[in-house]
Amino acid sequence: MATRTDAPTRREQILKEAARLFAERGFHGVGVDEIGAAVGISGPGLYRHFAGKDAMLAELLVGISGQLLTGAKRRLAEADGGGAEGVLDSLIEGHIDFALDDRPLITLHDRELDRLRDSDRKMVRQLQRQYVELWVGVVREVYPGLGEPAARSAVHSVFGLLNSTPHLGRGGSLPGRGATAELLHRMARGAFAAAEV
Amino acid sequence: MATRTDAPTRREQILKEAARLFAERGFHGVGVDEIGAAVGISGPGLYRHFAGKDAMLAELLVGISGQLLTGAKRRLAEADGGGAEGVLDSLIEGHIDFALDDRPLITLHDRELDRLRDSDRKMVRQLQRQYVELWVGVVREVYPGLGEPAARSAVHSVFGLLNSTPHLGRGGSLPGRGATAELLHRMARGAFAAAEV
DNA sequence: CAGGGAGGTTAGCGGTCGTTAACCTGAAGG
DNA sequence: CCTTCAGGTTAACGACCGCTAACCTCCCTG
């Protein structure tokens, strides 16, 4: 698991707060002064750590896409020979963990992509595409009745389902993390199964 | 069906283009000059039709939420006594029609809510809540094994699934509107079924 | 103990944006 | 024919925002 125990660097603090603010009010809706204030320094101080506001967003989005893809590849490799069913469950579990633990990032991920420089956007799109295609392969193995276009649509739709976590009441009345994760998992599997034929 | 055949008013043109632009680049990412240019007039000319940029967004979001709720109430009333299954299918169908035909609005609907004045935001939230609760009631009738919190989470997640249409390749390789609608419908039902117990 | 870099600060510039002001025009109506 | 008004126009203002410049202050290190 390799959990971090040392204190987060200033850069990491900034990225975390920027992600939260961008998710809450949109990239253009947040000023650099606010981001600075969120970590206890003031506006222009951020430029000691990032080339500009765009660079923060770029690093966040590239980081998210890369993390998702890397995790998925690892899960695919780990369960090699262990049945496609198990791999799909592992993929779903990983995506749910991400959606539940990093809601702001999940929100940014499909909301602010167009605010990136061309080169960064291309990179993020490529990582996202690889991630989707990895899912599509596994899904078609588990549900052979699905054609490729249908499988791709189904995968995008299940992402929509799993990424709905920001809309689930902010920690108030929902049935706890474990139960929510389980519910989402079952629904994802049910959606895929119903997509087949 | 009461289909409109007369030409759209200028106000309606503006709202339509504003919705598209807001969905593409975000509320703060679009200038009034661009909105004006999209309908062939220039920036400040918009103020003959709207009190300001905020008013356009408010009218769009209130309109969407109201339309969704009104349509859902109508479907519930129409099929009265005709079985909860049929009502749920009708609700799903209505939501899919909306998601497929008005993608920009669906995008705005859960993205730019926080940019509204307090009073407008409260109104939209109330309409949305009524819409969700209507679904929750029907879903629990069809799937009695679902508790109320689980049903509400499931409804939000299915909305995420259905609202994924903007991510499905923009008219390129996807299997045509009818097939897409059918796929989404089956997946929604499958997700609900899998949520139960 | 000098000095230099890391990481702050405030002041301010330049551009953009929402909005208003002032003016114009063409068509409808008495 | 004169008036009125809806629906435009351009100019410009004031606020805000991203970013740079110039400066300061520790702390580490040779």
Side-chain angles (χ1 to χ4, degrees), chain A residues 10 41-42 44-45 48-49:
Chain A
R10 175 89 337 152
I41 71 181
S42 242
R48 299 287 169 194
H49 305 276

Side-chain angles (χ1 to χ4, degrees), chain A residues 64 68 95 98-99 102-110 163 165-166:
Chain A
I64 301 163
L68 277 174
H95 197 104
F98 200 79
D102 296 286
R103 296 187 190 192
L105 293 184
I106 275 292
T107 300
L108 284 186
H109 185 247
D110 64 36
N163 293 349
T165 51

Side-chain angles (χ1 to χ4, degrees), chain A residues 127-194:
Chain A
L127 293 168
Q128 287 182 343
R129 193 171 51 243
Q130 287 182 257
Y131 185 65
V132 170
E133 293 311 315
L134 192 152
W135 273 69
V136 168
V138 175
V139 165
R140 291 194 68 195
E141 217 172 324
V142 179
Y143 303 100
L146 279 176
E148 191 179 311
R152 195 166 2 254
S153 291
V155 166
H156 279 293
S157 299
V158 166
F159 286 169
L161 188 155
L162 299 180
N163 293 349
S164 68
T165 51
H167 301 298
L168 308 179
R170 304 255 175 203
S173 63
L174 85 171
R177 199 211 124 108
T180 301
E182 207 186 314
L183 177 67
L184 288 173
H185 199 128
R186 286 203 313 271
M187 291 181 76
R189 286 302 296 257
F192 278 132

Side-chain angles (χ1 to χ4, degrees), chain B residues 150-188:
Chain B
R152 193 162 11 248
S153 290
V155 166
H156 279 292
S157 299
V158 166
F159 286 169
L161 188 155
L162 299 178
N163 293 350
S164 68
T165 52
H167 302 297
L168 307 178
R170 302 256 177 203
S173 62
L174 85 172
R177 198 211 124 106
T180 300
E182 210 186 312
L183 177 68
L184 288 172
H185 198 127
R186 284 202 314 271
M187 292 181 75

Side-chain angles (χ1 to χ4, degrees), chain B residues 70-130:
Chain B
T70 303
K73 277 181 176 168
R74 182 172 46 73
R75 292 179 128 89
L76 187 66
E78 272 174 2
D80 195 57
E85 293 260 352
V87 178
L88 180 55
D89 281 326
S90 178
L91 286 180
I92 293 173
E93 187 186 319
H95 198 105
I96 289 176
D97 284 346
F98 199 78
L100 284 174
D101 297 336
D102 296 286
R103 297 189 190 194
L105 292 184
I106 275 293
T107 299
L108 285 186
H109 186 247
D110 63 35
R111 189 169 297 196
E112 307 285 358
L113 182 59
D114 302 320
R115 264 52 106 196
L116 255 49
R117 282 174 31 222
D118 273 23
S119 63
D120 291 323
R121 190 171 53 248
K122 269 183 192 168
M123 155 132 295
V124 172
R125 281 241 167 82
Q126 187 186 327
L127 292 167
Q128 287 181 345
R129 193 170 53 243
Q130 286 182 257

Side-chain angles (χ1 to χ4, degrees), chain A residues 168 173-175 183, chain B residues 129 132-141 143-156 192 195:
Chain A
L168 308 179
S173 63
L174 85 171
L183 177 67
Chain B
R129 193 170 53 243
V132 170
E133 293 310 315
L134 191 150
W135 273 68
V136 168
V138 175
V139 166
R140 292 193 67 195
E141 216 170 329
Y143 302 101
L146 280 175
E148 191 180 311
R152 193 162 11 248
S153 290
V155 166
H156 279 292
F192 278 132

